Amino acid sequence: MSFEAMTPYEQRAWQQSIGVLYAPSRRKLIPKKARDRISSLGSAVVDRLSDLPGADQVKEIAEKAFDGTLALTFQPAMRSARPDSILKRYAERHQEVCTFGDIRKLSLEARDAMIPPKFGYTAASAGQGAVTALAVTGAEVATTVSGGTTAAVVVGAVAADSVASMAMMGRTIGVVATRYGYDVRLPDEELFAMGVLSLGVAASLGSKTQALAALSRLTQQMMRQATWRQLNEHVLVRAVAKAYQMLGLRLTQRKLAQAVPFVGVALNATLSAQLTEQTFRRAQAVYRLRWLSETYGIDPKEWMDGAPSADPVTDGTQEREEAVDVVEVLEDELAEERELEDDSALAQ
């Protein structure tokens, strides 16, 4: 099967999805004056932080902030689009739907119709709530950071904001994934969702391309079902947890560089809203491409055909960043599992 076997609607959906993934990041939610303010403050904040007590422990502080939040915050948010509710909604329009597998048998057009038409606006509004914790402390941090506060105060506030932001993005991915027939409660689907999250938070074209390449490779592996099913579920669970920690640290570092505690509550809310909104658009594009690839036997490598050769600088807050590669994370966990098995065999 091939592109030619797609319906005209599906062919347009493929092209539109590729266009979404490689389009420059949207700027309409953040005025130019505000972006300039972020740019001028970013380096100054990083310099000030480096002089504060505890600045060398940023990684440790951020990682502690994310301990336990995968199970307590992110996963519940991602799974809040309840499967029974989704199946019931589908069954109201399509009586043959009883399982997620039945959803994937429907046309792409039928599933596109199930995405809430105003979800983009809902996601943007929900992003406002992602900065609630920071809003409480932001003004205090801004006024005391040069008067005796420690880096832990700043990093802790930003990490708390990052946890909430990731929960909002998790909710977004869960809504999209379930509408397209993928159950994010399963460990393998949860790992895929982490890859979508990595793509969602990517700021530069280079990091988007890297994250999409990882998702392409992961989809290739999942399409080889016989090989994929041999994976130990515990390895997948560990890979999900590790990817979550890595993404949390990257997002915290990025927010620190954007001077989040210093630019004001309103702008913080706008930044988080934009992040959630772009995650929604990219998630929808990826799940559409994934289903089309699975249905028509298209190699997911084709997703990379539109990859840009250059990585233009879009503003002063952008620097070359590395995306979290979920396939590399999984391979690391598999290697560790094999080492443990070998050590156990030798011990016997």
Side-chain angles (χ1 to χ4, degrees), residues 183-195 218 222 228-229 231 233 236-237 240 287 290 330:
D183 190 348
V184 292
R185 297 172 301 175
L186 303 176
D188 54 343
E189 290 299 337
E190 196 168 33
L191 182 64
F192 189 89
M194 284 295 169
L218 184 59
M222 295 175 81
W228 182 253
R229 287 173 181 168
L231 286 178
E233 182 174 316
L236 285 167
V237 170
V240 167
Y287 280 106
R290 177 182 170 184
L330 178 60

Side-chain angles (χ1 to χ4, degrees), residues 76-335:
M78 186 169 64
R79 298 169 183 175
S80 60
R82 295 181 295 109
D84 54 344
S85 176
I86 300 302
L87 290 171
K88 183 178 179 180
R89 291 180 189 177
Y90 264 102
E92 290 173 355
R93 298 189 185 185
H94 308 277
Q95 294 181 351
E96 69 275 23
V97 171
C98 297
T99 66
F100 276 104
D102 294 332
I103 293 177
R104 292 197 298 275
K105 293 176 183 177
L106 297 174
S107 69
L108 182 65
E109 188 170 4
R111 279 170 296 153
D112 281 346
M114 294 297 291
I115 296 291
K118 294 184 179 179
F119 187 77
Y121 300 103
T122 303
S125 298
Q128 302 279 339
V131 295
T132 301
L134 186 59
V136 175
T137 60
E140 180 182 351
V141 172
T143 56
T144 62
V145 69
S146 60
T149 193
T150 65
V153 174
V154 179
V155 176
V158 175
D161 177 54
S162 297
V163 169
S165 291
M166 288 179 67
M168 290 294 177
M169 289 183 283
R171 163 68 178 170
T172 297
I173 294 168
V175 165
V176 174
T178 53
R179 291 327 194 269
Y180 285 102
Y182 298 98
D183 190 348
V184 292
R185 297 172 301 175
L186 303 176
D188 54 343
E189 290 299 337
E190 196 168 33
L191 182 64
F192 189 89
M194 284 295 169
V196 176
L197 181 62
S198 179
L199 177 65
V201 302
S204 66
L205 286 174
S207 60
K208 279 197 295 184
T209 301
Q210 185 183 2
L212 185 60
L215 278 172
S216 170
R217 299 200 312 278
L218 184 59
T219 303
Q220 292 170 51
Q221 293 183 20
M222 295 175 81
M223 287 171 69
R224 295 193 291 269
Q225 294 184 12
T227 303
W228 182 253
R229 287 173 181 168
Q230 295 175 6
L231 286 178
N232 186 317
E233 182 174 316
H234 296 295
V235 173
L236 285 167
V237 170
R238 290 204 309 269
V240 167
K242 183 176 179 181
Y244 175 78
Q245 283 279 356
M246 292 172 68
L247 282 163
L249 178 60
R250 296 283 175 86
L251 184 57
T252 299
Q253 291 172 330
R254 177 176 162 189
K255 283 177 175 283
L256 283 170
Q258 289 178 329
V260 166
F262 305 88
V263 296
V265 172
L267 185 53
N268 293 341
T270 303
L271 287 167
S272 292
Q274 176 172 285
L275 199 57
T276 306
E277 193 266 348
Q278 80 177 16
T279 298
F280 166 74
R281 288 185 290 104
R282 294 174 186 177
Q284 185 175 24
V286 165
Y287 280 106
R288 284 170 124 199
L289 290 175
R290 177 182 170 184
W291 180 81
L292 289 168
S293 297
E294 293 171 347
T295 301
Y296 293 100
I298 298 171
D299 191 333
K301 290 180 181 178
E302 299 287 345
W303 302 1
M304 308 309 297
D305 276 357
S309 57
D311 187 12
V313 176
T314 54
D315 65 44
T317 68
Q318 304 272 73
E319 56 184 41
R320 289 194 179 274
E321 57 173 350
E322 293 292 323
V324 173
D325 187 324
V326 291
V327 177
E328 286 186 3
V329 172
L330 178 60
E331 289 172 348
D332 288 345
E333 291 302 319
L334 285 170

Side-chain angles (χ1 to χ4, degrees), residues 4-15:
E4 290 72 21
M6 292 184 190
T7 66
Y9 181 91
E10 291 168 341
Q11 291 176 357
R12 289 194 301 272
W14 180 283
Q15 294 301 327

